[in-house]
Amino acid sequence: MGTKDGAPAGKRGPYAKSKQRREDIVNAAYGVFAARGYRGGSLQDVADKVGMSQTSLLHYFPSKSELLLAVLERRDSVSGDGRPRDPEDSFVDAVIRQARFNETVPGVIELYTVLCAESITDNHPGRGYFTERYERLRRSYSRAFTALAGEGRLRPGVDPERAAASLVALWDGIQTQWLLAPESIDMAGCLRDYLELLVLPDHLAGAAGAVSSGPSR
C-alpha cells in the first residue's frame, strides 16, 4: 500500500540506516578479529571503532558469537567462497586463479588464518564453521581429482582423497607463510608446482572444461 504521494509505506529510512549500521559493525569486527583474534578482540573494541556504546552494539548483535558468524559470512562474500567464476576453467587453473585473487585481499586471508587457528580451542563458536568448511573443501577437491582420474589425467598411484587433504593443508600453510613474507612466497606458484606433480598435462581437446567443481576458498 502506498502513501499519499505514491511512495511505498514503511520505515525505509530507518531500515536502511539500521542495515548500514550492521554493516559498519561487521566491518569493524572484521578488522578487530583479524588483528586480535576472536578471544582477544572485545565487543568494546568493535564498539569503539564504530563510535557507539557496547549496549547499542548489542542491539544489533546480541552476542559476540553472533557477530563472529556475521564476520565469517562477510569473509565468504569477499572471497566468493571459492565457487568457480568461469566454467571453462580447468581445476588447476581455477585453483591458481583463486590463489591470485587471495593475494589481492590480504585482510581476508589474515582474518581467516587467525580465526581458523583459534577455532581448534575449546568452545570456540567458529569451530563448526571451520570443521564444515574443511569437510566441504576435501569433498570438492576429491571430486575434482576423481574426475581427472576418470579422464586419465591423474598420475598413477595418486589417491584423490589424500591428494585433496594435502592440497587443503598446503594452501593454508602457504598462505600463512605468504602473510609473514609476501615478497618471498609465490603462493600460486607453489600450488601449481604441487598440482603439476599430480595432474598430467592436458592432452585431450576439451578436457580443461570437463571438471565442473572449482576450488572453494
Side-chain angles (χ1 to χ4, degrees):
M1 183 175 180
T3 60
K4 188 175 181 179
D5 62 0
K11 299 180 179 180
R12 296 183 63 188
Y15 172 78
K17 183 177 180 180
S18 176
K19 182 180 179 181
Q20 183 59 53
R21 201 59 163 163
R22 286 178 61 89
E23 291 180 0
D24 290 343
I25 293 170
V26 171
N27 288 335
Y30 195 101
V32 168
F33 291 159
R36 306 178 188 178
Y38 174 78
R39 304 289 191 193
S42 69
L43 289 177
Q44 189 61 58
D45 292 331
V46 177
D48 289 344
K49 285 181 71 71
V50 183
M52 64 192 307
S53 69
Q54 184 172 327
T55 301
S56 296
L57 185 151
L58 291 171
H59 172 73
Y60 296 93
F61 293 96
S63 70
K64 189 179 178 184
S65 60
E66 287 187 35
L67 180 55
L68 173 66
L69 294 178
V71 168
L72 292 173
E73 290 176 2
R74 167 68 175 154
R75 176 265 170 204
D76 285 343
S77 70
V78 172
S79 69
D81 200 22
R83 292 183 175 86
R85 294 169 176 80
D86 185 350
E88 296 303 314
D89 272 354
S90 69
F91 173 66
V92 174
D93 288 341
V95 167
I96 301 308
R97 177 173 44 75
Q98 182 66 45
R100 292 297 186 204
F101 172 79
N102 287 357
E103 292 176 347
T104 70
V105 286
V108 175
I109 306 308
E110 183 177 356
L111 174 78
Y112 167 82
T113 302
V114 170
L115 294 181
C116 183
E118 269 195 343
S119 71
I120 66 173
T121 59
D122 291 340
N123 302 316
H124 192 283
R127 188 182 185 101
Y129 168 88
F130 284 103
T131 298
E132 187 280 331
R133 185 173 184 281
Y134 276 128
E135 291 174 352
R136 173 171 52 78
L137 285 171
R138 290 192 297 269
R139 288 195 303 268
S140 175
Y141 296 161
S142 181
R143 286 195 300 268
F145 284 126
T146 298
L148 287 167
E151 297 167 12
R153 296 190 56 216
L154 197 65
R155 293 190 184 277
V158 174
D159 179 86
E161 292 187 2
R162 291 201 298 271
S166 296
L167 176 56
V168 173
L170 174 63
W171 201 332
D172 277 9
I174 290 296
Q175 283 189 155
T176 300
Q177 294 182 59
W178 176 79
L179 284 171
L180 294 170
E183 70 286 349
S184 302
I185 301 296
D186 181 358
M187 180 161 45
C190 291
L191 291 170
R192 183 180 289 281
D193 288 346
Y194 170 72
L195 291 171
E196 287 181 349
L197 293 174
L198 309 183
V199 181
L200 296 169
D202 180 13
H203 58 281
L204 298 175
V211 181
S212 60
S213 58
S216 301
R217 299 299 297 183

